[in-house]
Amino acid sequence: MAVIFSGIQPSGELTLGNYLGALRNFLDYQDSDECYYCIVNQHAITVPQDPKELFTNTRRLAALYLAVGLDPKKVTLFVQSEVPEHARLGWVMTTISYVGELERMTQYKDKSQKRGDSIPAGLLTYPPLMAADILLYQTNYVPVGEDQKQHMELTRDLAQRFNRVYGEVFTIPEIKMGVGGARVMSLQEPTKKMSKSDDNQMATIRLLDDEATIVKKIKRAQTDSDNSVHFDKENKPGISNLMGIYAAITKESYDTIEQRYAGQGYGTFKKDVAELLVDTLKPIHERYNELIDSPELDRILDEGALKARETASKTYREVELAMGLHRK
Ligand code: AQP
């Protein structure tokens, strides 16, 4: 049985990118593996968050984790800040990280660009905290979207570096990317990834968007003028992104999709993409509404934090002993 860990930030309403790139793939492991799924609220505060929104988004994300089909009897679902070993090991991993390698992270470059002279130091030290999240559970596989590949490589480097200097403490984790939908792009700027913190509401499909909103957003998605449903990421990023979404949901190949829509133009295709999304998200909405205000949600998260802490504290103790951070 392998150990699986993944986390999502409660930094806004989840997008279709989070679902197809990460959340949906979490389900694949719950019957066979030991799964830890985390709401990484300490990552979210690497950029300013409104406290009320952060609180609400944390609950919403927990409800969504369950609404997509995760079973709390099979997985450990918990909030990062409720397991203090994450911040403690995060600090340790920061001390073995090099500023140069952190500055090379594309997510850091992208997010810091928007912050002018006031770049929070936490944006730079985000990857060592992410490494800590993963390494605390002696994780074998991390199901994340393709956008997290660079952070995952750094996590592996840091684990190997630690083991080399202080002895074999950490399992070296591997990334697991879902088939298809590995990177969903913005509907308005299809060369940029779809992100939950994007201010342009038309750029993202939110998992909790209603039918009319989904139809409107897909209809207005940026495409080129040649009106032919053909996959070409380089020259036709908009339609290719919609084809990627369609393929990720139906598991069909681009060839099959191209043949089906030959000569039909973008209007028909977009209508079908929207319909597919509405049908996919409907059962998630229903389950979410049952859960969001229920005491069951708190009970699940309380139990999750206790269980996570049991494992995390064992690993952290090993780290303390290996580094001489202990007294007795
Ligand atoms: N566009 C995407 N396509 C595929 N996968 C994606 N993920 C995010 N965007 C896409 C995957 O979702 C998981 C959650 O990631 P996160 O919340 O920790 O942070 P993120 O990658 O920075 O996600 P966002 O939506 O872009 O959040 P903000 O806007 O707050 O930075 C990860 O597994 C990620 O791969």
Side-chain angles (χ1 to χ4, degrees), residues 6-12 14-23 26 40 43 49 107 111 126 143-148 181-185 193-198:
S6 199
I8 299 185
Q9 300 180 68
S11 47
L14 287 207
T15 70
L16 186 66
N18 301 131
Y19 177 65
L20 294 177
L23 203 46
F26 295 176
V40 287
H43 280 283
Q49 298 288 338
Q107 182 174 295
K111 291 198 173 179
Y126 181 114
V144 279
E146 198 252 352
D147 58 303
Q148 290 296 324
R183 193 191 281 251
V184 180
M185 310 308 274
K193 82 160 183 163
M194 185 180 283
S195 242
K196 60 176 118 57
S197 56
D198 197 324

Side-chain angles (χ1 to χ4, degrees), residues 3 9 61-62 72 95 128 150 167 180 185 188-189 215 224 241 274 283 288:
V3 178
Q9 300 180 68
L61 178 49
T95 66
Q150 198 185 24
M185 310 308 274
Q188 291 301 316
E189 290 171 76
V215 170
D224 52 80
N241 186 36
Y288 172 87

Side-chain angles (χ1 to χ4, degrees), residues 89-157:
L89 185 60
W91 173 250
V92 168
M93 299 319 284
T94 303
T95 66
I96 65 160
S97 305
Y98 305 133
V99 172
E101 64 191 351
L102 299 180
E103 282 175 339
R104 281 197 290 279
M105 296 292 116
T106 44
Q107 182 174 295
Y108 169 71
K109 288 190 205 159
D110 288 349
K111 291 198 173 179
S112 59
Q113 244 176 23
K114 297 176 201 152
R115 306 260 147 214
D117 287 337
S118 315
I119 301 169
L123 263 189
L124 184 69
T125 57
Y126 181 114
L129 179 58
M130 175 167 159
D133 299 338
I134 294 165
L135 299 176
L136 274 175
Y137 300 93
Q138 305 292 5
T139 300
N140 300 105
Y141 299 110
V142 184
V144 279
E146 198 252 352
D147 58 303
Q148 290 296 324
K149 207 167 155 204
Q150 198 185 24
H151 285 165
M152 273 307 300
E153 276 158 16
L154 184 63
T155 295
R156 287 167 58 83
D157 286 349

Side-chain angles (χ1 to χ4, degrees), residues 175-192:
I175 187 168
K176 271 260 187 214
M177 278 185 287
V179 186
R183 193 191 281 251
V184 180
M185 310 308 274
S186 154
L187 298 180
Q188 291 301 316
E189 290 171 76
T191 50
K192 208 179 92 181

